Amino acid sequence: MAKTDPTLIVIEDDPSIQRFLRTSLTAQGFNLFSATTGKQGLTEAGIRKPDLVILDLGLPDIDGIEVIKAIRRWSAVPIIVLSARDNEQQKIDALDSGANDYLTKPFGFGELLARIRVALRNSLRPANQLEAEIVINDRLKVDFLNRIVSIDNSEIHLTPIQYRLLSVLVKNAGKVMTHQQILNQVWGPSYQENAHYLRIYMSQLRQKLEADPARPVFLLTESGVGYRLKLW
């Protein structure tokens, strides 16, 4: 968390969810501002310069995807989508448009709060810090400076592609990465249709890094969408 209370904007037209989020997030120490339409949300975002935006996709005036695109033209503020839309392609579209995370209604407040904290922590890091720091999980350590990956203080050998895949996930920890985003960053644009590469290498990473590869605790699958690395 920052030294000052983070400012959040909730763009949501459902009054009951607005009230719930206002009460719950304010109790957690956040400064909260609300908007019930896309246009109002964009205005609030421009005025308040928030630390994070929570966005519903089904707004009465502008589709939430267009709100994401509009914000991304001028800001890198973390955006968490909170929507009843559970179609996989809609999730992918939101993430590819610039959303950092996606939760489907109904949602658990504890999970939303955890994802908010992860998004805020990531946004506070200098862009070049990740190139040298050691990222620590209860079991996992990644030393970017020396290119060393260890589990329970034992160094793990990764192939170059496995290391690139893990690096992409770690540098976007807590963020849902679509298959297309990962393929582009690890293999390049010409591999956009080769999702089977990703499945194979993700399976290999889990074999090396997870205590139980069949029940991963930090290399998580977002069904039909992509993957998310849970470090904390």
Side-chain angles (χ1 to χ4, degrees):
M1 293 292 184
K3 291 182 180 179
T4 57
D5 292 338
T7 296
L8 274 58
I9 292 178
V10 175
I11 308 175
E12 166 67 66
D13 67 333
D14 186 320
S16 62
I17 295 179
Q18 277 276 16
R19 286 193 298 270
F20 170 73
L21 291 177
R22 174 170 293 281
T23 300
S24 302
L25 291 172
T26 301
Q28 294 294 323
F30 295 105
N31 293 317
L32 199 70
F33 295 92
S34 301
T36 58
T37 68
K39 290 181 180 179
Q40 184 184 1
L42 290 172
T43 299
E44 286 289 317
I47 294 172
R48 308 293 180 185
K49 300 297 189 290
D51 297 291
L52 184 140
V53 173
I54 298 174
L55 172 68
D56 182 21
L57 295 183
L59 299 170
D61 58 342
I62 307 173
D63 188 80
I65 299 292
E66 297 307 313
V67 175
I68 295 171
K69 292 178 180 178
I71 291 175
R72 282 291 172 258
R73 293 188 188 106
W74 59 272
S75 175
V77 62
I79 300 172
I80 297 179
V81 171
L82 195 60
S83 177
R85 298 180 186 176
D86 58 2
N87 179 272
E88 291 175 358
Q89 188 57 52
Q90 291 174 323
K91 294 180 183 180
I92 291 169
D93 289 344
L95 294 164
D96 282 343
S97 295
N100 295 72
D101 208 344
Y102 196 113
L103 275 179
T104 304
K105 299 174 183 177
F107 62 95
F109 180 70
E111 182 177 5
L112 173 62
L113 188 59
R115 296 198 186 198
I116 289 172
R117 287 171 174 158
V118 168
L120 290 174
R121 276 197 294 266
N122 287 346
S123 70
L124 291 173
R125 294 179 180 179
N128 60 355
Q129 182 182 349
L130 278 168
E131 296 304 321
E133 75 173 351
I134 298 176
V135 181
I136 303 175
N137 174 259
D138 290 340
R139 301 182 59 239
L140 171 67
K141 296 182 181 180
V142 181
D143 181 346
F144 286 106
L145 184 61
N146 298 298
R147 294 175 65 91
I148 295 174
V149 178
S150 60
I151 289 288
D152 300 329
N153 297 316
S154 297
E155 186 174 342
I156 302 297
H157 173 72
L158 298 180
T159 67
I161 290 180
Q162 290 169 355
Y163 180 80
R164 287 206 302 272
L165 174 57
L166 180 63
S167 297
V168 167
L169 293 171
V170 169
K171 291 174 183 178
N172 293 277
K175 177 180 178 179
V176 180
M177 298 288 289
T178 67
H179 298 117
Q180 289 77 14
Q181 288 171 331
I182 299 172
L183 285 165
N184 184 58
Q185 293 187 40
V186 177
W187 283 275
S190 61
Y191 286 82
Q192 291 291 302
E193 304 303 321
N194 296 85
H196 62 285
Y197 284 12
L198 183 52
R199 289 193 295 271
I200 291 169
Y201 279 93
M202 183 60 68
S203 176
Q204 292 174 355
L205 271 185
R206 284 173 171 161
Q207 291 291 332
K208 292 184 176 183
L209 302 180
E210 296 279 6
D212 182 356
R215 296 178 177 83
V217 296
F218 45 86
L219 291 170
L220 306 182
T221 298
E222 296 288 341
S223 182
V225 178
Y227 298 95
R228 176 170 58 92
L229 181 63
K230 182 180 179 181
L231 285 182
W232 301 279

